[in-house]
Amino acid sequence: MTSFVGILLMAGIYLHIPFCKKACHYCNFHFSTQTEHIQSFVQAIIQEIRLQKGYLDQPIETIYFGGGTPSLLNADQLKTILGILYKHFEIAQKIECTLEANPDDIDADKLNVWKQVGINRLSIGIQSFQAEALSWMNRAHSVEQSHAAIELAQAAGFDNISIDLIYGTPTLSKEALIADLDWIEKYNIKHVSCYALTVEDKTALKKLIEKQQLEDVDPEKQAAHFELLTARLNKMGMEHYEISNFAAPGYRSQHNSNYWSGVTYLGLGPSAHSFNGASRQWNIANNALYISSLNKEELNFEIEYLSDANRYNEYIMTSLRRIEGFDLDLIEQKFGANYLEHTIRTLDALKSKDYFQQIENSIALKNTAKFLADGIASDFFILEASL
Ligand code: SF4
């Protein structure tokens, strides 16, 4: 199968490891703190790998362990999962293999195991180097553990390290954010994912703010933080290649870049999404039901077949978040003249806002408009059958 962005030779695999030691106040990802079920989950995901071995028909060039907290897997569990993946899929010789790890799980023994099994990229959930901010978020780790995790990982030979940073929290001052960025520079971190803290429905954070036990976030402060960190990371030579992601040259996340480019991928584990070019499907977001279905050798997911309008909307949304923007030739080639006309009409209607810059046939957002990317993309959205 091919994706809508062209003939693609490679694909990716995402594994969702749905367990955490402690619930962060702001988190709306799928996870459970009942870590005693990890081994049953591993048996289930192995079964899912076997059942889904025919889902992709291209070689795999990226594997991504996300979560939840994949660093909770022990050496045997990780080796077993990777062994089964290598048995059932054609894995390219040179792959990017990422593991998300929390600082409190990182020690020299684990790092050695990760190296041995082929993990070559770590995404470390630092979030902040400030104790007050970590406590406000209810993170499981301390500032000391953050520093130790980075130092140990670099000493173990991990060069391709990404760290997550959350900005715009009420306790994070401008000076504290600058101090966080100083640490990134000092450690020569090659990739940073920066997220504005958002208050999602059904999170502990939302309830605590409603009960006035925690201070609410301030959008103006978040916009100021975004401007500050963008300028500083650019000054460090990092490329702002996607709204939330910055990379030193050669260190973009291949897995996420593929995802944003419409490359096919298989998602394994509860709540994981898959895309094969024609449809998108998502696994049940419930650990017990996921495990019991796979114990019966049954997959438990919902599926949506994608129309041209769905694909166009997704293409616009993901590409406006990226430095490259969207390509007018590609829109005509993949979606037809009507879609191209619609795109040009929308660009004309938004002309006075001064959001866009054009390089040849590519349209991207100016720096000043990046914080508004999702809202601007929605101006281009097409409803089913309206063209
Ligand atoms: S460690 Fe990550 S997945 Fe787990 S609760 Fe915290 S933010 Fe959510």
Side-chain angles (χ1 to χ4, degrees), residues 234-246:
N234 282 339
K235 203 170 158 206
M236 285 181 212
M238 286 195 165
E239 186 182 39
H240 191 183
Y241 74 104
E242 197 267 349
I243 295 281
S244 306
N245 288 282
F246 298 79

Side-chain angles (χ1 to χ4, degrees), residues 19-20 22-24 26-27 29 31 67-69 102 139:
F19 296 96
C20 296
K22 189 175 172 186
C24 303
Y26 57 89
C27 182
F29 296 137
F31 71 94
T69 312
N102 277 347
R139 293 290 304 185

Side-chain angles (χ1 to χ4, degrees), residues 205-217:
L205 180 60
K206 178 133 188 170
K207 286 189 195 121
L208 289 165
I209 290 172
E210 279 168 358
K211 286 190 207 158
Q212 300 188 328
Q213 289 174 4
L214 280 185
E215 195 183 329
D216 202 351
V217 297

